[in-house]
Amino acid sequence: METNTCAPLGNFIDLMLDAICVVDAEGRFVFVSAACERIFGYAPEEMIGKPMIELVLPEDRPRTLQAANQIMAGQPKPHFENRYLRKDGQVVHIMWSARWSEREQVRVAVARDVTELKQAASMQAALYAISEAAHAAEDMLALFRRIHRIIGELLPADNFSVALYDAARDQLSFPYHADVQEPTPLLRKPAAGTLCAEVIRSGQPLLLTPETLVDFPAHLRQIVGRKSLCWLGVPLNSSKGTIGALVLKSYCGGVRYGEKDKELLQFVSNQIATAIERHQLHARLQYMAQYDELTGLPNRGLLFDRLHTALARARREQGRLALLYLDLDKFKQVNDTHGHAVGDQLLHAVARRLQQCVREADTVARIGGDEFVVLLESLQQPEHALPTADKLRGALDQPLTIDGHSLRILPSIGIALYPEHGDTAQALLRHADDAMYQVKKGGEPYLPLPQDHSLPGDGGCAPQPA
């Protein structure tokens, strides 16, 4: 009686956790064990004859083909790792032990699913990388770029967006958006009516796929992009509430995200929210250190920084610049008559009008109280200051309606030139300040410019804006 010794061996192979694959010289599967269905999602008969490379994640195909060529050249690969796309679109991490059979002209390989091990290690590395990025990134955009790269190490992230929510304005913005098909979404106010808004409102992750979409409320199904294959969004939860959302998207022919991907993205999102908050706080503190809180104009410190830079450039290029020092006449009477709230609104309105009178490259700063300084760079001739001063005075001469009051306030303007009135920031500012007080005492808008361009006590130079 004959005994079939191959049958028990075949049953043993089918029960193995690892999968056995045999690939011919053309790169097609000629044998796969039953365990392949658990790992790759395809039944063995579906894999036979299929090119191996078609199952590999596109990003990993070049190095997979390189490794295959090395194996066929006689170099065994006991610990080669790459990523495959399962039949359901999920990504799996595979560790291969492979060698070439010269006699049979096939590659024989054992595949082990190491997805969970890779994700656990990747999550720890990602948390460390995000913490590093929070300290090393120069600004928010640099931070978001680093976060995109970090998430891309965890799961496919070709289409990745960061949405931030401003609760005070009920406004949704997209400071970072990388998408192969869709442009950056417009600023949205109110924020409702988007999938991101749904994630932020609920504070819960949201995974939409063609299979799961039918289980979601009608208002969500209506706002899913028609081209999207999968949409995965997780909230950015902080100690102050939900500040935004992270979004991953895939299109037809791309990967499909699953529950494990949702858990993974949510796990790192808390660290990312902390990093974003840290950068927002740093940006806020930096803004407060450089800008006037009432008007939003540069303050004295930032004015001096820009003036020092402008002076260095003027010395290097033998150029000219000017400072216009403005003090609002009878501003105290506005505060005394109408109150400080109206006075603050007046200062804010004055700041806007001054900004409209100069070029984008020039600087309008509030240095305290009702005093403003305008820095004008790249002057051709000193007399160009006077048309600018005229324009500033004319803009403020127009009545302002504030809190039901029609107010008209004029400035006294002192002008200082570089190099005529000094070659340091302090000297120029002092000269312009002195000139302004002379103007205020004399009742003139500003001292006239002598024909020889020599200014005895007022200073004056600035380009006439277009």
Side-chain angles (χ1 to χ4, degrees):
M1 180 178 179
E2 293 184 1
T3 302
N4 186 350
T5 58
C6 292
L9 179 60
N11 293 335
F12 175 75
I13 291 175
D14 289 344
L15 293 173
M16 289 178 61
L17 295 179
D18 295 344
I20 297 176
C21 300
V22 179
V23 178
D24 64 17
E26 301 299 322
R28 298 179 180 274
F29 291 106
V30 295
F31 171 82
V32 295
S33 67
C36 282
E37 186 168 3
R38 176 181 57 80
I39 296 176
F40 301 107
Y42 294 94
E45 57 270 21
E46 292 180 287
M47 295 182 66
I48 300 301
K50 183 183 289 291
M52 170 273 301
I53 199 65
E54 288 185 2
L55 273 63
V56 177
L57 195 69
E59 293 86 342
D60 290 359
R61 289 177 183 176
R63 63 186 187 87
T64 298
L65 291 174
Q66 182 182 21
N69 290 332
Q70 292 171 347
I71 292 169
M72 294 171 68
Q75 302 178 33
K77 294 287 183 181
H79 303 295
F80 178 74
E81 294 184 18
N82 63 359
R83 294 170 294 176
Y84 273 64
L85 276 174
R86 285 173 49 89
K87 185 178 180 179
D88 61 6
Q90 299 289 303
V91 176
V92 288
H93 294 257
I94 307 296
M95 177 179 286
W96 294 95
S97 178
R99 63 180 303 133
W100 174 252
S101 171
E102 186 64 31
R103 188 180 68 177
E104 304 294 337
Q105 292 291 292
V106 293
R107 297 198 304 271
V108 181
V110 177
R112 173 167 293 183
D113 184 352
V114 294
T115 303
E116 292 187 3
L117 291 174
K118 292 291 292 184
Q119 287 184 342
S122 296
M123 282 193 289
Q124 293 303 317
L127 293 181
Y128 178 75
I130 292 168
S131 179
E132 273 198 329
H135 291 90
E138 296 179 358
D139 52 34
M140 291 289 281
L141 181 58
L143 174 64
F144 294 144
R145 285 172 176 163
R146 292 192 181 203
I147 289 172
H148 188 183
R149 289 196 295 268
I150 292 166
I151 290 178
E153 294 294 324
L154 298 175
L155 63 165
D158 288 342
N159 307 299
F160 172 71
S161 300
V162 178
L164 293 183
Y165 179 59
D166 185 338
R169 297 182 176 88
D170 188 26
Q171 183 171 284
L172 193 64
S173 62
F174 294 83
Y176 186 84
H177 180 77
D179 196 292
V180 296
Q181 293 195 25
E182 294 186 355
T184 301
L186 299 175
L187 195 70
R188 190 178 181 93
K189 182 179 180 180
T194 67
L195 291 174
C196 288
E198 184 67 21
V199 171
I200 294 167
R201 182 197 63 78
S202 66
Q204 298 296 321
L206 184 62
L207 173 62
L208 297 177
T209 68
E211 292 78 17
T212 64
L213 190 59
V214 293
D215 298 326
F216 284 91
H219 72 279
L220 290 183
R221 296 199 301 269
Q222 292 174 358
I223 55 180
V224 176
R226 294 181 180 179
K227 298 180 181 179
S228 298
L229 175 66
C230 283
W231 192 96
L232 172 59
V234 299
L236 288 165
N237 293 320
S238 73
S239 58
K240 298 179 181 179
T242 303
I243 63 172
L246 301 179
V247 177
L248 291 175
K249 187 189 298 182
S250 67
Y251 295 100
C252 294
V255 300
R256 292 198 181 191
Y257 299 111
E259 289 297 321
K260 288 186 177 180
D261 298 318
K262 183 173 71 174
E263 293 172 5
L264 181 62
L265 192 60
Q266 181 67 77
F267 180 76
V268 299
S269 71
N270 295 329
Q271 185 80 359
I272 292 172
T274 301
I276 291 174
E277 274 196 317
R278 184 180 294 121
H279 262 264
Q280 287 177 329
L281 176 60
H282 175 75
R284 176 61 180 164
L285 292 175
Q286 188 175 37
Y287 180 87
M288 291 172 63
Q290 294 182 321
Y291 290 87
D292 174 54
E293 185 175 3
L294 176 63
T295 64
L297 296 177
N299 61 16
R300 180 182 291 268
L302 184 54
L303 171 66
F304 268 92
D305 286 344
R306 293 186 179 180
L307 181 51
H308 284 302
T309 301
L311 282 170
R313 183 163 47 247
R315 294 187 193 103
R316 184 173 60 251
E317 300 174 359
Q318 296 183 338
R320 290 178 170 274
L321 60 83
L323 286 182
L324 279 63
Y325 199 118
L326 288 78
D327 179 90
L328 302 182
D329 298 338
K330 301 179 181 179
F331 177 73
K332 184 176 182 299
Q333 293 181 12
V334 175
N335 281 335
D336 293 342
T337 304
H338 304 289
H340 288 277
V342 171
D344 288 347
Q345 292 181 57
L346 176 61
L347 290 173
H348 189 274
V350 166
R352 300 287 77 78
R353 288 196 175 182
L354 294 179
Q355 285 183 306
Q356 294 168 3
C357 293
V358 299
R359 303 165 302 179
E360 187 175 347
D362 299 323
T363 296
V364 179
R366 182 189 178 209
I367 61 174
D370 60 333
E371 296 180 337
F372 298 83
V373 171
V374 179
L375 167 61
L376 302 164
E377 298 189 51
S378 304
L379 304 181
Q380 298 301 316
Q381 298 295 330
E383 59 267 21
H384 290 166
L386 299 183
T388 302
D390 280 335
K391 191 171 185 179
L392 295 173
R393 186 175 175 84
L396 297 186
D397 191 28
Q398 300 301 314
L400 291 161
T401 301
I402 297 176
D403 198 23
H405 305 287
S406 180
L407 304 176
R408 178 174 175 268
I409 192 162
L410 288 174
S412 295
I413 304 175
I415 307 173
L417 295 175
Y418 169 83
E420 284 83 351
H421 301 121
D423 60 358
T424 68
Q426 292 81 1
L428 289 171
L429 193 63
R430 183 170 56 250
H431 185 95
D433 188 14
D434 291 343
M436 182 273 295
Y437 275 106
Q438 290 186 45
V439 168
K440 189 176 288 288
K441 290 178 182 178
E444 297 294 332
Y446 30 79
L447 298 183
L449 183 67
Q451 293 298 315
D452 62 1
H453 299 165
S454 173
L455 294 138
D458 63 316
C461 179
Q464 183 173 7

